[in-house]
Amino acid sequence: MISVGYKTRQLNGTCASSVDMELFLHYSLIPSVSEGRGGWMREEKGTVSLIHRPLDFVGTFRNRWSYGVAFGATANKVMFLFSEGYQPLQVPQWAQAFVLLIGGIEVGLSHFPFFACLSSEFRLVSSILGFSYSLIWFAVTTLHITQCPHGQFVGKYETVVFYWPSLLCLAFLLGRFLYMFVKSLRVHLGWELQTEEKPFLEVHQAEHVKQLLRKCPLQEREKSWFQTRIYEWDPYFQFPSRMIGTTVLAFICLYLFIVIEFCMFVYVRDELDVFEGELESYVASMNQTGTLTPVLLQVKELINVTKGVWVVTILPASLTCVSYLFHILACYRKQMKRLWAGDKHFLPLKFHNPSSSESVVAIARYSGWQIAYILWGYLIIHVMQSLCGLVIMYSLVLPVIHNQALEMLQGLGIGILTISIVLGLMVLQVWIAASFFLQPKMGTADKQKPLALNNRRAFHNFNYFLFFYNVLLGLGACLSRLLISCILGTWLIARIDRTILQSGCERADMGFRAWIGMLYVDHYHANPVLISFCHILITGHRERRLQQAIKYWYLNQSAGPRTSVRSRTRWLLLQTLINNPRLVTLRKSRPGHGSRDLPRFC
């Protein structure tokens, strides 16, 4: 596996870039750690932290595509970890897991400022810091591309092929932080009113609850073919930032994985071309009369067919994994709605009450596991489709090329006739059972006959004489079961939203367990009905506190001229702090009073 972008000599045999991307990754930890530590120190002192968290993986619905693009900017580094090319320490084989853990933490810290600046509430400062950090990454990546644009596998513009997704994501982040700066500057100068960044109840969640309270229409509107068969957009449902970021990163990682696989194919193809040249030299030296000549010619043909089939199946394997990514989003929405409605029948019985600790861990595992499943799934699907392509080539295409079409058609006809006879006998058994060994229908509206035996003596003879034939038939059924299981298992290996194991063994599927745990965490923490209920409680509590403050204010006003200016100011301060509780942390402390103490009213 090629380490994407970091091992420059592997991709560029003659170019030596002045920018070491791996070294730059290490140095990028300095601003990340300094910002994180600074935020922690300010939080300990009781003041507001500038950068408090990179991303809320559960309840964030704002700036979803910005977070997704920020995840996309990490694609090259994620592939670097996936290829296990991160080896900063020489450790034994059993300690490789710790090295990979350190590498994952380092990649997360190096891109921490992107997410922290996007989620920070201090928009003006965070936009400047985020724009500066994005500009540094963009400039370094561009310099690396311009110095070494070509490589030895893809050829011209190989580095561009690997790095253009990251450059596009960084360019988007530059535009996003610039927009944040302009908007926050207008608010700071008083040209524009500041809007609430993250309300407790999102608009789409409130609309979803309103839709539940409305009466269902008597006649549903007619849906198009696309809405019925493929996807129907729901304006009252939004995917969280975690799902958007996972999908964007999975798309870019899949693209990079396909490019890496193609590079490996080019390398193997060149080696096979050398091997074919040696075979041709041997056959020519033997004047095609050697005993191994037919075998060598078949080996050469197999190599050529395999290379052609492997290239042709890249597109269908890629489209299969891309369709899986969209289908997983559709399944997430469908299953979340069913959980909101209290329907758990689509889940195995063992997952109706999952472990709370496993669910919390699943929310952290899901995104990474989904990307890994897609990448490995693509490789497995590609191998399986290549094997199917080889079967088709050797069964249908090559016989025609070798002027053996009649023999091929004869063998194909015999095979189809044999399978048809076997299936026909199976269908005949069902028809005989329905016609002679079941009692008539009890009512005219019944769809099928009742499960009540008729003609029992003939039925026992039927079972006896077909017993020995069904033993042989069961052998073919067993092999077909194995074949179908292998095909479906490899075809659905990238689908983390459904298990490929049999009923009762679902807990052994760790990917499916992560999916179920993630669903339950989102169900418990992002349920629109629950959030709407909490919103009503919080709003009612604030209104009662405000009404109480207003009542005391009226009592204070009725006191007449005895009311002092200081007391009136304190009542106004109390009302302001009730409406804006976060202002308490910004008040200056006096000797003997904490910074969070409310004013005393004498």
Side-chain angles (χ1 to χ4, degrees), residues 459-481:
F459 171 72
H460 294 316
N461 285 277
F462 176 81
N463 276 344
Y464 175 77
F465 287 106
L466 287 179
F467 173 80
F468 305 99
Y469 169 74
N470 285 327
V471 172
L472 301 177
L473 185 63
L475 177 62
C478 180
L479 295 178
S480 65
R481 179 187 187 186

PDB file of all heavy atoms in Angstrom, residues 459-481:
ATOM      1  N   PHE A 459     -49.732 -39.885   0.083  1.00  0.00           N
ATOM      2  CA  PHE A 459     -48.722 -38.921   0.559  1.00  0.00           C
ATOM      3  C   PHE A 459     -47.513 -39.640   1.144  1.00  0.00           C
ATOM      4  O   PHE A 459     -46.362 -39.254   0.903  1.00  0.00           O
ATOM      5  CB  PHE A 459     -49.360 -37.998   1.599  1.00  0.00           C
ATOM      6  CG  PHE A 459     -48.380 -37.127   2.314  1.00  0.00           C
ATOM      7  CD1 PHE A 459     -47.776 -36.054   1.671  1.00  0.00           C
ATOM      8  CD2 PHE A 459     -48.048 -37.376   3.641  1.00  0.00           C
ATOM      9  CE1 PHE A 459     -46.863 -35.257   2.343  1.00  0.00           C
ATOM     10  CE2 PHE A 459     -47.133 -36.588   4.308  1.00  0.00           C
ATOM     11  CZ  PHE A 459     -46.542 -35.516   3.657  1.00  0.00           C
ATOM     12  N   HIS A 460     -47.721 -40.715   1.910  1.00  0.00           N
ATOM     13  CA  HIS A 460     -46.605 -41.457   2.502  1.00  0.00           C
ATOM     14  C   HIS A 460     -45.777 -42.137   1.419  1.00  0.00           C
ATOM     15  O   HIS A 460     -44.535 -42.179   1.501  1.00  0.00           O
ATOM     16  CB  HIS A 460     -47.124 -42.477   3.500  1.00  0.00           C
ATOM     17  CG  HIS A 460     -47.773 -41.841   4.703  1.00  0.00           C
ATOM     18  ND1 HIS A 460     -47.229 -40.769   5.366  1.00  0.00           N
ATOM     19  CD2 HIS A 460     -48.937 -42.134   5.360  1.00  0.00           C
ATOM     20  CE1 HIS A 460     -47.998 -40.413   6.374  1.00  0.00           C
ATOM     21  NE2 HIS A 460     -49.069 -41.228   6.395  1.00  0.00           N
ATOM     22  N   ASN A 461     -46.411 -42.692   0.384  1.00  0.00           N
ATOM     23  CA  ASN A 461     -45.659 -43.269  -0.726  1.00  0.00           C
ATOM     24  C   ASN A 461     -44.872 -42.193  -1.478  1.00  0.00           C
ATOM     25  O   ASN A 461     -43.729 -42.419  -1.910  1.00  0.00           O
ATOM     26  CB  ASN A 461     -46.621 -43.979  -1.686  1.00  0.00           C
ATOM     27  CG  ASN A 461     -47.100 -45.304  -1.134  1.00  0.00           C
ATOM     28  OD1 ASN A 461     -46.424 -46.332  -1.255  1.00  0.00           O
ATOM     29  ND2 ASN A 461     -48.276 -45.289  -0.505  1.00  0.00           N
ATOM     30  N   PHE A 462     -45.471 -41.012  -1.623  1.00  0.00           N
ATOM     31  CA  PHE A 462     -44.797 -39.880  -2.277  1.00  0.00           C
ATOM     32  C   PHE A 462     -43.526 -39.512  -1.521  1.00  0.00           C
ATOM     33  O   PHE A 462     -42.460 -39.285  -2.116  1.00  0.00           O
ATOM     34  CB  PHE A 462     -45.781 -38.712  -2.348  1.00  0.00           C
ATOM     35  CG  PHE A 462     -45.201 -37.448  -2.906  1.00  0.00           C
ATOM     36  CD1 PHE A 462     -45.068 -37.266  -4.274  1.00  0.00           C
ATOM     37  CD2 PHE A 462     -44.802 -36.423  -2.071  1.00  0.00           C
ATOM     38  CE1 PHE A 462     -44.548 -36.095  -4.796  1.00  0.00           C
ATOM     39  CE2 PHE A 462     -44.274 -35.246  -2.571  1.00  0.00           C
ATOM     40  CZ  PHE A 462     -44.152 -35.091  -3.941  1.00  0.00           C
ATOM     41  N   ASN A 463     -43.608 -39.443  -0.213  1.00  0.00           N
ATOM     42  CA  ASN A 463     -42.441 -39.102   0.602  1.00  0.00           C
ATOM     43  C   ASN A 463     -41.373 -40.188   0.519  1.00  0.00           C
ATOM     44  O   ASN A 463     -40.172 -39.898   0.438  1.00  0.00           O
ATOM     45  CB  ASN A 463     -42.853 -38.913   2.062  1.00  0.00           C
ATOM     46  CG  ASN A 463     -43.385 -37.510   2.325  1.00  0.00           C
ATOM     47  OD1 ASN A 463     -43.180 -36.613   1.521  1.00  0.00           O
ATOM     48  ND2 ASN A 463     -44.087 -37.343   3.430  1.00  0.00           N
ATOM     49  N   TYR A 464     -41.777 -41.454   0.529  1.00  0.00           N
ATOM     50  CA  TYR A 464     -40.803 -42.555   0.555  1.00  0.00           C
ATOM     51  C   TYR A 464     -39.985 -42.596  -0.741  1.00  0.00           C
ATOM     52  O   TYR A 464     -38.756 -42.683  -0.703  1.00  0.00           O
ATOM     53  CB  TYR A 464     -41.531 -43.877   0.775  1.00  0.00           C
ATOM     54  CG  TYR A 464     -40.605 -45.068   0.694  1.00  0.00           C
ATOM     55  CD1 TYR A 464     -39.762 -45.386   1.747  1.00  0.00           C
ATOM     56  CD2 TYR A 464     -40.569 -45.865  -0.460  1.00  0.00           C
ATOM     57  CE1 TYR A 464     -38.891 -46.466   1.663  1.00  0.00           C
ATOM     58  CE2 TYR A 464     -39.704 -46.941  -0.547  1.00  0.00           C
ATOM     59  CZ  TYR A 464     -38.868 -47.232   0.512  1.00  0.00           C
ATOM     60  OH  TYR A 464     -38.003 -48.299   0.422  1.00  0.00           O
ATOM     61  N   PHE A 465     -40.637 -42.548  -1.876  1.00  0.00           N
ATOM     62  CA  PHE A 465     -39.917 -42.712  -3.134  1.00  0.00           C
ATOM     63  C   PHE A 465     -39.095 -41.474  -3.509  1.00  0.00           C
ATOM     64  O   PHE A 465     -38.132 -41.591  -4.268  1.00  0.00           O
ATOM     65  CB  PHE A 465     -40.901 -43.051  -4.261  1.00  0.00           C
ATOM     66  CG  PHE A 465     -41.433 -44.435  -4.169  1.00  0.00           C
ATOM     67  CD1 PHE A 465     -42.733 -44.674  -3.751  1.00  0.00           C
ATOM     68  CD2 PHE A 465     -40.627 -45.526  -4.463  1.00  0.00           C
ATOM     69  CE1 PHE A 465     -43.229 -45.966  -3.653  1.00  0.00           C
ATOM     70  CE2 PHE A 465     -41.125 -46.829  -4.364  1.00  0.00           C
ATOM     71  CZ  PHE A 465     -42.420 -47.048  -3.955  1.00  0.00           C
ATOM     72  N   LEU A 466     -39.476 -40.308  -3.010  1.00  0.00           N
ATOM     73  CA  LEU A 466     -38.689 -39.098  -3.285  1.00  0.00           C
ATOM     74  C   LEU A 466     -37.601 -38.859  -2.243  1.00  0.00           C
ATOM     75  O   LEU A 466     -36.834 -37.908  -2.367  1.00  0.00           O
ATOM     76  CB  LEU A 466     -39.598 -37.867  -3.355  1.00  0.00           C
ATOM     77  CG  LEU A 466     -40.475 -37.761  -4.605  1.00  0.00           C
ATOM     78  CD1 LEU A 466     -41.334 -36.514  -4.526  1.00  0.00           C
ATOM     79  CD2 LEU A 466     -39.627 -37.725  -5.870  1.00  0.00           C
ATOM     80  N   PHE A 467     -37.552 -39.692  -1.194  1.00  0.00           N
ATOM     81  CA  PHE A 467     -36.563 -39.502  -0.139  1.00  0.00           C
ATOM     82  C   PHE A 467     -35.133 -39.606  -0.691  1.00  0.00           C
ATOM     83  O   PHE A 467     -34.277 -38.767  -0.421  1.00  0.00           O
ATOM     84  CB  PHE A 467     -36.786 -40.550   0.964  1.00  0.00           C
ATOM     85  CG  PHE A 467     -35.713 -40.556   2.012  1.00  0.00           C
ATOM     86  CD1 PHE A 467     -35.710 -39.627   3.034  1.00  0.00           C
ATOM     87  CD2 PHE A 467     -34.679 -41.498   1.969  1.00  0.00           C
ATOM     88  CE1 PHE A 467     -34.719 -39.638   4.000  1.00  0.00           C
ATOM     89  CE2 PHE A 467     -33.689 -41.509   2.925  1.00  0.00           C
ATOM     90  CZ  PHE A 467     -33.705 -40.575   3.935  1.00  0.00           C
ATOM     91  N   PHE A 468     -34.849 -40.637  -1.486  1.00  0.00           N
ATOM     92  CA  PHE A 468     -33.497 -40.861  -1.973  1.00  0.00           C
ATOM     93  C   PHE A 468     -33.103 -39.822  -3.031  1.00  0.00           C
ATOM     94  O   PHE A 468     -31.940 -39.406  -3.105  1.00  0.00           O
ATOM     95  CB  PHE A 468     -33.403 -42.282  -2.544  1.00  0.00           C
ATOM     96  CG  PHE A 468     -33.821 -43.322  -1.556  1.00  0.00           C
ATOM     97  CD1 PHE A 468     -35.093 -43.869  -1.601  1.00  0.00           C
ATOM     98  CD2 PHE A 468     -32.957 -43.736  -0.560  1.00  0.00           C
ATOM     99  CE1 PHE A 468     -35.484 -44.835  -0.688  1.00  0.00           C
ATOM    100  CE2 PHE A 468     -33.335 -44.706   0.356  1.00  0.00           C
ATOM    101  CZ  PHE A 468     -34.615 -45.246   0.299  1.00  0.00           C
ATOM    102  N   TYR A 469     -34.084 -39.405  -3.832  1.00  0.00           N
ATOM    103  CA  TYR A 469     -33.781 -38.357  -4.823  1.00  0.00           C
ATOM    104  C   TYR A 469     -33.481 -37.024  -4.143  1.00  0.00           C
ATOM    105  O   TYR A 469     -32.581 -36.285  -4.560  1.00  0.00           O
ATOM    106  CB  TYR A 469     -34.956 -38.210  -5.788  1.00  0.00           C
ATOM    107  CG  TYR A 469     -34.859 -36.996  -6.674  1.00  0.00           C
ATOM    108  CD1 TYR A 469     -33.952 -36.942  -7.738  1.00  0.00           C
ATOM    109  CD2 TYR A 469     -35.643 -35.868  -6.433  1.00  0.00           C
ATOM    110  CE1 TYR A 469     -33.847 -35.819  -8.538  1.00  0.00           C
ATOM    111  CE2 TYR A 469     -35.547 -34.743  -7.231  1.00  0.00           C
ATOM    112  CZ  TYR A 469     -34.651 -34.731  -8.278  1.00  0.00           C
ATOM    113  OH  TYR A 469     -34.562 -33.612  -9.066  1.00  0.00           O
ATOM    114  N   ASN A 470     -34.198 -36.721  -3.059  1.00  0.00           N
ATOM    115  CA  ASN A 470     -33.983 -35.451  -2.363  1.00  0.00           C
ATOM    116  C   ASN A 470     -32.635 -35.402  -1.650  1.00  0.00           C
ATOM    117  O   ASN A 470     -32.127 -34.319  -1.355  1.00  0.00           O
ATOM    118  CB  ASN A 470     -35.115 -35.206  -1.358  1.00  0.00           C
ATOM    119  CG  ASN A 470     -36.404 -34.791  -2.045  1.00  0.00           C
ATOM    120  OD1 ASN A 470     -36.375 -34.118  -3.078  1.00  0.00           O
ATOM    121  ND2 ASN A 470     -37.535 -35.197  -1.474  1.00  0.00           N
ATOM    122  N   VAL A 471     -32.046 -36.580  -1.358  1.00  0.00           N
ATOM    123  CA  VAL A 471     -30.688 -36.582  -0.797  1.00  0.00           C
ATOM    124  C   VAL A 471     -29.711 -36.004  -1.809  1.00  0.00           C
ATOM    125  O   VAL A 471     -28.860 -35.154  -1.486  1.00  0.00           O
ATOM    126  CB  VAL A 471     -30.285 -38.004  -0.381  1.00  0.00           C
ATOM    127  CG1 VAL A 471     -28.809 -38.038   0.012  1.00  0.00           C
ATOM    128  CG2 VAL A 471     -31.135 -38.479   0.779  1.00  0.00           C
ATOM    129  N   LEU A 472     -29.808 -36.452  -3.050  1.00  0.00           N
ATOM    130  CA  LEU A 472     -28.937 -35.917  -4.093  1.00  0.00           C
ATOM    131  C   LEU A 472     -29.272 -34.461  -4.402  1.00  0.00           C
ATOM    132  O   LEU A 472     -28.395 -33.648  -4.650  1.00  0.00           O
ATOM    133  CB  LEU A 472     -29.068 -36.769  -5.355  1.00  0.00           C
ATOM    134  CG  LEU A 472     -28.706 -38.255  -5.190  1.00  0.00           C
ATOM    135  CD1 LEU A 472     -28.955 -39.012  -6.484  1.00  0.00           C
ATOM    136  CD2 LEU A 472     -27.250 -38.390  -4.775  1.00  0.00           C
ATOM    137  N   LEU A 473     -30.567 -34.165  -4.380  1.00  0.00           N
ATOM    138  CA  LEU A 473     -30.968 -32.782  -4.635  1.00  0.00           C
ATOM    139  C   LEU A 473     -30.478 -31.849  -3.524  1.00  0.00           C
ATOM    140  O   LEU A 473     -30.115 -30.693  -3.774  1.00  0.00           O
ATOM    141  CB  LEU A 473     -32.488 -32.701  -4.758  1.00  0.00           C
ATOM    142  CG  LEU A 473     -33.081 -31.347  -5.132  1.00  0.00           C
ATOM    143  CD1 LEU A 473     -32.592 -30.922  -6.516  1.00  0.00           C
ATOM    144  CD2 LEU A 473     -34.599 -31.392  -5.097  1.00  0.00           C
ATOM    145  N   GLY A 474     -30.439 -32.361  -2.291  1.00  0.00           N
ATOM    146  CA  GLY A 474     -29.958 -31.547  -1.178  1.00  0.00           C
ATOM    147  C   GLY A 474     -28.492 -31.191  -1.299  1.00  0.00           C
ATOM    148  O   GLY A 474     -28.059 -30.136  -0.812  1.00  0.00           O
ATOM    149  N   LEU A 475     -27.703 -32.071  -1.956  1.00  0.00           N
ATOM    150  CA  LEU A 475     -26.299 -31.752  -2.171  1.00  0.00           C
ATOM    151  C   LEU A 475     -26.149 -30.507  -3.033  1.00  0.00           C
ATOM    152  O   LEU A 475     -25.375 -29.587  -2.712  1.00  0.00           O
ATOM    153  CB  LEU A 475     -25.598 -32.944  -2.821  1.00  0.00           C
ATOM    154  CG  LEU A 475     -24.116 -32.746  -3.176  1.00  0.00           C
ATOM    155  CD1 LEU A 475     -23.306 -32.478  -1.913  1.00  0.00           C
ATOM    156  CD2 LEU A 475     -23.579 -33.954  -3.931  1.00  0.00           C
ATOM    157  N   GLY A 476     -26.904 -30.439  -4.115  1.00  0.00           N
ATOM    158  CA  GLY A 476     -26.861 -29.239  -4.955  1.00  0.00           C
ATOM    159  C   GLY A 476     -27.417 -28.025  -4.246  1.00  0.00           C
ATOM    160  O   GLY A 476     -26.910 -26.909  -4.409  1.00  0.00           O
ATOM    161  N   ALA A 477     -28.472 -28.230  -3.429  1.00  0.00           N
ATOM    162  CA  ALA A 477     -29.038 -27.101  -2.680  1.00  0.00           C
ATOM    163  C   ALA A 477     -28.042 -26.551  -1.670  1.00  0.00           C
ATOM    164  O   ALA A 477     -27.953 -25.337  -1.445  1.00  0.00           O
ATOM    165  CB  ALA A 477     -30.325 -27.539  -1.980  1.00  0.00           C
ATOM    166  N   CYS A 478     -27.256 -27.455  -1.045  1.00  0.00           N
ATOM    167  CA  CYS A 478     -26.239 -27.011  -0.086  1.00  0.00           C
ATOM    168  C   CYS A 478     -25.158 -26.193  -0.768  1.00  0.00           C
ATOM    169  O   CYS A 478     -24.740 -25.151  -0.261  1.00  0.00           O
ATOM    170  CB  CYS A 478     -25.637 -28.224   0.614  1.00  0.00           C
ATOM    171  SG  CYS A 478     -24.361 -27.816   1.816  1.00  0.00           S
ATOM    172  N   LEU A 479     -24.713 -26.649  -1.935  1.00  0.00           N
ATOM    173  CA  LEU A 479     -23.688 -25.903  -2.664  1.00  0.00           C
ATOM    174  C   LEU A 479     -24.222 -24.560  -3.138  1.00  0.00           C
ATOM    175  O   LEU A 479     -23.512 -23.545  -3.101  1.00  0.00           O
ATOM    176  CB  LEU A 479     -23.189 -26.738  -3.846  1.00  0.00           C
ATOM    177  CG  LEU A 479     -22.454 -28.038  -3.486  1.00  0.00           C
ATOM    178  CD1 LEU A 479     -22.055 -28.794  -4.748  1.00  0.00           C
ATOM    179  CD2 LEU A 479     -21.223 -27.734  -2.640  1.00  0.00           C
ATOM    180  N   SER A 480     -25.476 -24.543  -3.578  1.00  0.00           N
ATOM    181  CA  SER A 480     -26.065 -23.262  -4.000  1.00  0.00           C
ATOM    182  C   SER A 480     -26.211 -22.313  -2.814  1.00  0.00           C
ATOM    183  O   SER A 480     -26.025 -21.096  -2.949  1.00  0.00           O
ATOM    184  CB  SER A 480     -27.425 -23.512  -4.648  1.00  0.00           C
ATOM    185  OG  SER A 480     -28.348 -24.034  -3.703  1.00  0.00           O
ATOM    186  N   ARG A 481     -26.514 -22.872  -1.635  1.00  0.00           N
ATOM    187  CA  ARG A 481     -26.601 -22.030  -0.433  1.00  0.00           C
ATOM    188  C   ARG A 481     -25.258 -21.398  -0.109  1.00  0.00           C
ATOM    189  O   ARG A 481     -25.170 -20.213   0.227  1.00  0.00           O
ATOM    190  CB  ARG A 481     -27.089 -22.872   0.739  1.00  0.00           C
ATOM    191  CG  ARG A 481     -27.203 -22.113   2.055  1.00  0.00           C
ATOM    192  CD  ARG A 481     -27.522 -23.071   3.191  1.00  0.00           C
ATOM    193  NE  ARG A 481     -27.791 -22.345   4.428  1.00  0.00           N
ATOM    194  CZ  ARG A 481     -27.987 -22.940   5.608  1.00  0.00           C
ATOM    195  NH1 ARG A 481     -27.941 -24.264   5.696  1.00  0.00           N
ATOM    196  NH2 ARG A 481     -28.213 -22.225   6.689  1.00  0.00           N
TER     197      ARG A 481
END
